[in-house]
């Protein structure tokens, strides 16, 4: 193909998973995901709640080089506590190198 745009056009799928935590393990009682603090004078209340510390993001996108810039348009969803969140668009622009 002679078209630089068509030569640079990419259709991609993506998936990312991860976690972050405080304490010894993600399921530790010291983990910040489990603890909510409510201050209602004169009371100080701590509520421990269970949340899945592992998160997943996935989706599809298109990438292309246009006028020397690399343009990405993605649509992705998140999986949190076993529930798929509403999707969202992400558009980014960077230099093509």
């Amino acid at each position: 193909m002679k078209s630089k745009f068509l030569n640079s056009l990419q259709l991609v799928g993506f998936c990312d998973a991860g976690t972050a935590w405080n304490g010894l393990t993600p399921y530790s009682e010291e983990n910040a995901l489990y603890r909510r603090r409510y201050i209602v004078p004169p009371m100080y209340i701590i509520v421990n709640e269970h949340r899945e510390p592992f998160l997943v993001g996935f989706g599809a996108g298109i990438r292309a080089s246009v006028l020397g810039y690399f343009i990405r348009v993605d649509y992705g969803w998140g999986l949190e506590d076993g529930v798929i969140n509403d999707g969202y668009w992400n558009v980014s622009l960077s230099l093509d190198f």
Side-chain angles (χ1 to χ4, degrees):
M1 290 186 180
K2 294 183 180 184
S3 170
K4 288 185 179 183
F5 172 76
L6 291 178
N7 278 333
S8 70
L9 190 63
Q10 303 171 15
L11 298 175
V12 297
F14 58 88
C15 182
D16 185 27
T19 187
W21 68 86
N22 296 323
L24 188 58
T25 72
Y27 296 100
S28 170
E29 287 294 323
E30 298 300 317
N31 192 340
L33 289 174
Y34 291 89
R35 194 168 288 209
R36 302 270 183 197
R37 293 176 175 85
Y38 300 96
I39 300 173
V40 182
M43 296 182 294
Y44 180 76
I45 302 168
I46 297 175
V47 177
N48 292 329
E49 67 178 81
H50 177 71
R51 297 197 57 183
E52 181 60 44
F54 294 95
L55 304 174
V56 178
F58 58 93
I62 188 168
R63 283 118 169 87
S65 182
V66 179
L67 300 174
Y69 291 97
F70 194 64
I71 298 173
R72 301 182 334 170
V73 178
D74 298 325
Y75 192 80
W77 298 269
L79 179 65
E80 184 176 1
D81 286 330
V83 176
I84 297 176
N85 299 331
D86 293 337
Y88 61 93
W89 288 99
N90 184 34
V91 178
S92 64
L93 177 70
S94 64
L95 292 175
D96 186 16
F97 59 95

